[in-house]
Amino acid sequence: MAIMVFAGLSLPPASAPAMAEPYRLAPYKDDLFAYPKILDEQYDGAYLEVEYDRPRDLDARDAVRGEKVKPDYVSLDPNAVTADRTVKLGRKSISYYAVGKVDGGAKAIVVFVHGLGTGRDTGVDDWIHGGNFNRIKNLMMRNDGVYLSPSFSNYRSGGAEEMRDLILFASVMSPDAPVFLACGSMGAKLCWRLFRDDAVRPLLGGVMLLDPVMDRDDIRFAAALPPADRVPILITGSREDTRVGWKAQRDLFVAMKTGVPDYPIRYVLFSAGTHGLSWRMVDWRTTLNWMLETGGR
């Protein structure tokens, strides 16, 4: 494990990448990971209900049901550009895995914020959740990005401060890279704290709320932002999620589209599946490319 020490952080002025073509993620195993079938589409495609079929999307996909995906879904090439690091920022030490441009110069930064009962190891496990974490690692590696899966102490202000410092550190290392938060379950609470942070929000290219705990005040905060400050949001849920439920998620999405029709927000509902299904089924590439296009980066 590499340990780096930084006494403080100073963020350079934001600048737009000087690129002939807009930065977008190239295809990678899209035939295996793209949404299999759209059952319902509303709000010009901002609302999708996606079919989840257990015999196809679980039984036929996994070598060991729910524990290990079949090798076709996995490439271990990112192992060559994976680092297990701890960075000391002031008095705090933050441990994280980094995949891709681990030493800076990334064109995009994706940060996985795990939920209760999991940790940073979950975010880099190649074999669970249908290989979907392996896909995001490959997407970042193959597109000059960096993927971070960190530890944090809690889902309150302390954890938010740790993630804030890590994001600022990553942005110093890759100053032109938009930051995308992928927030699982209770991790959404922490991500909304980051969303509200005036130092973090200008760096964000998008926020993915995967099976999230939702709060009406958070949506109200986003809805009140001026157009230039709006951060693209994806919310995902599943119809059999009895832990956090999907109806409240959908209702908050509808409230946003009703109150601020042009806000860049999407909701993807999976037709079946329990809590945590989104980590298996979310289409990282489609989502990130939409956020890149919407955010104009």
Side-chain angles (χ1 to χ4, degrees), residues 113-131:
V113 182
H114 65 76
L116 284 172
T118 62
R120 67 189 182 106
D121 290 348
T122 298
V124 292
D125 193 315
D126 296 303
W127 301 100
I128 61 174
H129 297 297

Side-chain angles (χ1 to χ4, degrees), residues 99-146:
V99 182
K101 292 281 189 177
V102 300
D103 294 316
K107 295 180 180 178
I109 302 165
V110 175
V111 183
F112 175 64
V113 182
H114 65 76
L116 284 172
T118 62
R120 67 189 182 106
D121 290 348
T122 298
V124 292
D125 193 315
D126 296 303
W127 301 100
I128 61 174
H129 297 297
N132 214 13
F133 284 119
N134 180 263
R135 189 190 190 209
I136 187 60
K137 290 162 62 176
N138 272 279
L139 284 169
M140 288 296 98
M141 178 199 72
R142 297 168 189 273
N143 291 277
D144 294 325
V146 65

Side-chain angles (χ1 to χ4, degrees), residues 14-19 176 296-297:
S15 60
M19 302 176 65
D176 291 326
R297 299 296 293 268

Side-chain angles (χ1 to χ4, degrees), residues 209-225:
L209 306 171
L210 311 177
D211 296 356
V213 177
M214 297 293 293
D215 190 316
R216 185 170 294 275
D217 288 340
D218 293 323
I219 289 292
R220 286 172 176 163
F221 175 83
L225 290 171

Side-chain angles (χ1 to χ4, degrees), residues 87-109:
V87 61
K88 291 187 177 180
L89 301 171
R91 297 183 177 180
K92 295 187 286 284
S93 294
I94 303 169
S95 296
Y96 64 99
Y97 292 108
V99 182
K101 292 281 189 177
V102 300
D103 294 316
K107 295 180 180 178
I109 302 165

Side-chain angles (χ1 to χ4, degrees), residues 2-290:
I3 299 179
M4 297 171 286
V5 180
F6 290 81
L9 291 170
S10 60
L11 200 62
S15 60
M19 302 176 65
E21 296 292 336
Y23 173 74
R24 300 292 183 263
L25 304 185
Y28 175 73
K29 293 184 181 285
D30 287 19
D31 56 330
L32 296 178
F33 288 95
Y35 293 141
K37 183 178 181 181
I38 305 301
L39 301 178
D40 188 18
E41 180 175 337
Q42 301 177 32
Y43 297 96
D44 296 323
Y47 174 99
L48 296 178
E49 182 164 357
V50 176
E51 182 182 68
Y52 174 63
D53 179 73
R54 282 188 178 86
R56 178 192 63 211
D57 300 319
L58 180 62
D59 298 333
R61 185 165 170 175
D62 287 4
V64 180
R65 192 177 194 265
E67 297 181 13
K68 185 175 182 180
V69 73
K70 291 180 178 177
D72 290 351
Y73 290 82
V74 170
S75 166
L76 299 180
D77 291 347
N79 288 351
V81 288
T82 297
D84 179 1
R85 291 184 170 172
T86 296
V87 61
K88 291 187 177 180
L89 301 171
R91 297 183 177 180
K92 295 187 286 284
S93 294
I94 303 169
S95 296
Y96 64 99
Y97 292 108
V99 182
K101 292 281 189 177
V102 300
D103 294 316
K107 295 180 180 178
I109 302 165
V110 175
V111 183
F112 175 64
V113 182
H114 65 76
L116 284 172
T118 62
R120 67 189 182 106
D121 290 348
T122 298
V124 292
D125 193 315
D126 296 303
W127 301 100
I128 61 174
H129 297 297
N132 214 13
F133 284 119
N134 180 263
R135 189 190 190 209
I136 187 60
K137 290 162 62 176
N138 272 279
L139 284 169
M140 288 296 98
M141 178 199 72
R142 297 168 189 273
N143 291 277
D144 294 325
V146 65
Y147 171 69
L148 307 179
S149 185
S151 294
F152 46 89
S153 58
N154 56 55
Y155 295 93
R156 300 181 296 278
S157 59
E161 289 174 3
E162 293 159 6
M163 290 302 93
R164 174 184 183 272
D165 287 349
L166 180 62
I167 289 168
L168 295 181
F169 167 70
S171 293
V172 168
M173 299 285 284
S174 302
D176 291 326
V179 177
F180 300 92
L181 301 178
C183 319
S185 189
M186 185 61 76
K189 286 290 188 182
L190 196 154
C191 287
W192 277 114
R193 289 180 179 269
L194 296 169
F195 192 108
R196 290 170 176 268
D197 191 308
D198 291 338
V200 173
R201 191 171 58 258
L203 304 174
L204 296 179
V207 177
M208 293 168 272
L209 306 171
L210 311 177
D211 296 356
V213 177
M214 297 293 293
D215 190 316
R216 185 170 294 275
D217 288 340
D218 293 323
I219 289 292
R220 286 172 176 163
F221 175 83
L225 290 171
D229 295 338
R230 292 173 183 168
V231 177
I233 297 171
L234 170 75
I235 306 169
T236 66
S238 54
R239 284 189 176 273
E240 295 175 331
D241 185 350
T242 59
R243 187 175 302 179
V244 301
W246 60 274
K247 292 183 179 179
Q249 299 167 351
R250 180 199 58 189
D251 291 348
L252 291 177
F253 163 80
V254 171
M256 175 71 94
K257 294 303 290 184
T258 300
V260 190
D262 58 346
Y263 192 99
I265 186 171
R266 287 182 170 182
Y267 183 58
V268 175
L269 176 66
F270 298 106
S271 64
T274 55
H275 188 71
L277 178 74
S278 294
W279 300 356
R280 169 181 290 263
M281 294 295 292
V282 66
D283 186 339
W284 298 111
R285 178 174 174 266
T286 295
T287 298
L288 288 167
N289 279 345
W290 164 69

